[in-house]
Amino acid sequence: HTWRSCDWLCPGCKTMMFSENMSCRYCGHKKPTLNTLGQACWQYYPLAAQRTMKCEGERTCPECHGIIHMSHSECRACLERRRLAAKAEEAPLAGPVLQALPGGGSRRALPPPEPARPKTGFEALCDKYRGMEPEAVLADLEAVQSGRRAVEDAAKEAVAQAEQERQAREEAKQQADRQER
């Protein structure tokens, strides 16, 4: 991109900015305009005086320092920025969206990341054993498996004990029924 008459120098860090930037991309300083600096803003537009093709009746936008042709009632760049900002406010966050910059203006940005999904069992195991030595992984898996066997054995024992208690209650009930007869 070569310099154009509407490109500007940042008053804060003296970096060249393209005309569409409403604030400095490096330091965030607002674009110098007639509204912000008055006639002193012209010192930050080094090629403004060298514009060769000027139309009769054109004027400079006090907001963005763009050129307003005499057939237009308002600055087309400002109108487009307002339209895009309104569209960004009502649009859902799918795909690239407009993001406001600190000094005004906007740029395209990616939408926020989707919420994390729960990890699968395999992913959880990979996270648990990441960076461990293979022998340590095997030892841990054996401990988990023996612990699982112990839990299974305890569960079987509890089921067997509950079955014995049920049988004992049935026998006691049968004996009580016999004695009543």
Side-chain angles (χ1 to χ4, degrees), residues 1-8 16-20:
H1 177 80
T2 59
W3 273 71
R4 296 179 299 190
S5 63
C6 48
D7 292 339
W8 53 283
M16 188 275 286
M17 292 287 126
F18 297 131
S19 60
E20 62 268 9

Side-chain angles (χ1 to χ4, degrees), residues 24-82:
C24 178
R25 295 174 54 117
Y26 299 103
C27 70
H29 195 283
K30 286 193 174 239
K31 182 177 186 177
T33 64
L34 291 170
N35 279 354
T36 58
L37 292 177
Q39 292 300 317
C41 72
W42 292 108
Q43 66 183 330
Y44 299 105
Y45 294 87
L47 299 180
Q50 296 177 9
R51 242 180 102 225
T52 56
M53 296 185 64
K54 293 184 179 180
C55 295
E56 186 179 325
E58 73 179 23
R59 59 194 191 283
T60 304
C61 175
E63 282 297 314
C64 71
H65 210 77
I67 298 168
I68 305 172
H69 191 268
M70 64 184 272
S71 64
H72 297 214
S73 61
E74 61 184 314
C75 175
R76 292 294 185 204
C78 290
L79 184 66
E80 180 68 9
R81 260 190 298 282
R82 285 193 298 273

Side-chain angles (χ1 to χ4, degrees), residues 138-152:
L138 289 174
D140 187 62
L141 287 173
E142 287 173 2
V144 167
Q145 192 171 18
S146 65
R148 190 173 294 146
R149 283 190 189 139
V151 168
E152 289 172 358

